[in-house]
Every structure is written in structure tokens, then in C-alpha cells.
Amino acid sequence: MPHPPPRFSRRHLLLAAAGTTLNPAWAQTATAWTEIDKAARGQTVYWNAWAGSEQTNAYLQWVAQQLKASHGLTLQHVKITDTADVVKRVRAEKAAGRGAGEGTVDLVWINGENFATMKREGLLFGPYAEALPNFRWVDTRGKPTTLNDFSVPTEGMESPWGMAQFTLFADSQRLPKPPQSMQALLALARSQPGRITYPRLPDFHGTTFVKQALVELAPDAKALARPVTDAAFAAQTAPLWPFLDALRPHLWRAGKQFPQNAAAVRQMMADGELLLAITFNPNEAANEIAAKRLPASVVSWQFEKGTIGNTHFVAIPYNARAKAGAQVVANFLLSPAAQARKADIAHWGDPTVLDLARLPAADRALFQTGNLPGLVTKGAPTLPEPHASWVDPLEKEWARRYGV
């Protein structure tokens, strides 16, 4: 049985609504959340979020419309291409002495090394996430990455709102037997030279491709969950570079060039130039088929022994002006209605973070999708991301070896 929520004075509740950090239990009382909701009304929340997808942008517009109607706040999508730029901005604001309520960012779409950096440098407000009313529906047991971001504990400093897992897709008429491991992919590349590739690092999907190979080939996968050291990097990447060396001459354009991003790879696959494409959204192919940008013969799969998976989050900078409004946004993003719309391939197709089995029947019914073409038919185990500190040295070493 859960412990009853603590009682707070009205002063504590008002401090919470204003954004003062308290124990995560403070927002568990209906009265406290009412105060936060009240403080949020009339606020403008500047949400810095990736804007590289029309469907994602449209979904964020829908969220803004819903919040305006139901909570009286304005959600402004600040479109960005790289979250690292937001981290630099908040860091610069801290260096300039811009304290609580003086920042330019109220909410940021974030995960991985960017979260690790902001947490380490004290650039985040919180903890707040686990106290959100809708957090009770999050599947923290079945989806442990909702509490652990690139092996860095979230500790309530960011709120989950979507799942991701490294997935491949291809036209089954061209590739009837998809490779089930990185070694099998190498064998396929050797038999079909020039018809496989991956994005140039530091593109996120390119880095994930390399991390997938690292996780499969590392002598001690558990070492990847710890902060990187020079010795650990040398030992665990020892099999990786020979693998990438062997793969490179059989890639598109003999590995002398790499596509800029996953969208370019997907288009080349759709045009028949490449055999397969990669994504971090298991529903992307189904989404593209529904939009008639890919044929219904395209199938999606994950390697039999598993692929890298993680959760993406929203976080609130330490000096956000609209902390109450940002919490209301984060809570709405966890609502069954918002999660169901996001999971619907007609709108986005981003997998939910919620535990559907625990939802009320009416809410659970919102997630029924049926057997749509392009969906992953047999899910594979989710392999944990290496610790966030591995990303930078991996990208730098890849660039040194293959970036010319």
C-alpha cells in the first residue's frame, strides 16, 4: 500500500506552484496540483523541441491547442535542430547569472548525453517528474529506461513521453531474408555491395548504428553502462573498428561518403538504391506506408537478440520562467489521450511510455491499432544504451577514421 501523501501548508503549496523545488511527494495532493494548474494559467511555455518532422510538428501544434483550451496556457514550439544548442544556451545563462525565472527556455525535449550534461552541471529544475498526476500510468517496470537515461538515473529531473528502439525496415520483395545481427548485415553487404549504408556521424541515427555494433561486439557489455575511461574505451571498442573497417568498402559509394541523415537513407531505400533503412521509431515504416510514401510490402524488424532502445523525455531548466506551465505540459503529455494520439501512425506513431494493462478500459481502447502493414510483428529485447559519456569519444574516433 502506498504511503498517504504528506500535508503541506498553503505557503508550501504556493511555493510549489511557483516552481520551488520540494520533495517529489509534494505534487501528489490534489490541492497542490490545483495550485500548480492555477499558476500555469495565462503563462507562455517556450518548448525547445526538434522540428525535423512535419508529423512531430503537427502533433506539438495539437498539444498546444488542447492545452490552450483546457488549461488556458500558451505553448510556443521553439523549433531547433540540435538539443546541444539549447544546453549551451542554458549554460551561458547560468554563467551570466540569470537565475530562477530569468531563463529563455521553459521546457526542452531531451535525452542521452544532453540530459547527462544538464544534470551534471545543475542546469535542471526538479525533481518533479514522478510527482506528476499522470506519472502513475508510466510503465517503469516493463520499460526501465523511463527511469534511466543512457545509464544515467533520471531521479525525477525529466519526464518520459515516448519510447524508441533501433529498428530496420526493407521491401520484402527485394530483401526476403532480413539480417538478424550486425554480423549478418556485414555478410549481406559483402553479397550486395553498395546497397547498404548508415548516416554520417554525429547524426543521431548514425551514432546509434555504431552503438548497436558496439553493444553486440563489446567483450564486456556491462562495462558500457559505466562512465567511459580511456582503458575501457580501448578494450570495449577493440572489436568494433575491425568490424566497421570490414563493412566500409561494401557500403554505398564504397564508404567514401555517408548520407547526411536517416531520411536520406530511407529515400534511397524507397527508390531501390539501397536494400534497407534504419530508424529509432518502430512504427516509422507503418507510418510511411499509411502516407503512401512506401509500398505495403515493406517490413520492419529488430535483431533477434535485441536492439538498443531508450526513452525520450522533457525537462525543465533551472531558470525557466514558466515552471508551473511546463509541469502542466509534461503532465498532459503523459495523459492517455495524448499518448494514444502520439502512438497513432496517422499522427506520429511514437510508442507510448504507459503501461496499457493498468489503464482504465476506455483509455486502453484508444491504443488499438490492429495489424497494420509495416509494423514490427515480433518485438525483440531492448538492449540498454551505453552510458552517455561514451557518445562523444565514439563520434570523435569514428570521425578520425572515416570522416574524410
Side-chain angles (χ1 to χ4, degrees), residues 10 13-18 29-40 324:
R10 180 170 178 80
L13 297 175
L14 290 172
L15 287 172
T29 66
T31 304
W33 186 253
T34 298
E35 295 289 343
I36 291 174
D37 181 78
K38 185 186 299 182

Side-chain angles (χ1 to χ4, degrees), residues 62-85:
W62 174 82
V63 170
Q65 293 166 359
Q66 299 300 305
L67 287 166
K68 186 69 172 180
S70 63
H71 292 82
L73 65 80
T74 300
L75 180 63
Q76 182 67 47
H77 179 190
V78 180
K79 298 179 178 180
I80 62 173
T81 57
D82 191 343
T83 307
D85 293 335

Side-chain angles (χ1 to χ4, degrees), residues 27 33-34 36-37 40 47 59 63 67 70-71 73 107 128-138 158-161 314 316 323-339 353-354:
W33 186 253
T34 298
I36 291 174
D37 181 78
W47 184 4
Y59 177 78
V63 170
L67 287 166
S70 63
H71 292 82
L73 65 80
L107 195 67
Y128 78 95
E130 294 172 40
L132 299 173
N134 284 327
F135 193 89
R136 67 188 186 277
W137 304 121
V138 175
E158 57 180 353
S159 176
W161 73 299
V314 290
I316 305 172
K323 288 188 175 77
Q327 290 171 81
V328 168
V329 175
N331 186 61
F332 177 78
L333 294 175
L334 289 177
S335 67
Q339 286 282 303
V353 298
L354 305 185

